[in-house]
Amino acid sequence: DLTTPGVPAADPSFAGTPAFAWLVAHARDYGFRLSYPPGNRQGIAFEPWHWRYRGDQPPALADALATAAPETGERQSAPTLSTAGVSRHVP
């Protein structure tokens, strides 16, 4: 479950935040999917805060993990949701 500053955990208003818009645009690049989108076949209400990791390594993440910093030759860490202003909520 995800949230962002100013939005309570597990709240539908998360869908109107820049963090949610970023997730919609980029989460698939890192292997994440919205668990319960509107009209899901499970019949569960839309939960904009509920995302799951699929376990596959998408190309964007594989590229990020393999990128070396040219100055040092050291691997760079993979981008995280926190770098996009999104904070992870742990109940």
Side-chain angles (χ1 to χ4, degrees), residues 4 26 32 34 43-44 64 68 73 86-87 90:
T4 193
H26 302 285
F32 288 87
L34 184 59
I44 296 173
V86 178
S87 59
V90 179

Side-chain angles (χ1 to χ4, degrees), residues 53-88:
Y53 182 67
R54 292 285 305 240
D56 49 353
Q57 190 176 62
L61 182 56
D63 290 347
L65 292 172
T67 301
E71 303 82 39
T72 64
E74 296 176 3
R75 287 185 179 269
Q76 296 176 340
S77 60
T80 64
L81 294 179
S82 63
T83 63
V86 178
S87 59
R88 183 171 184 264

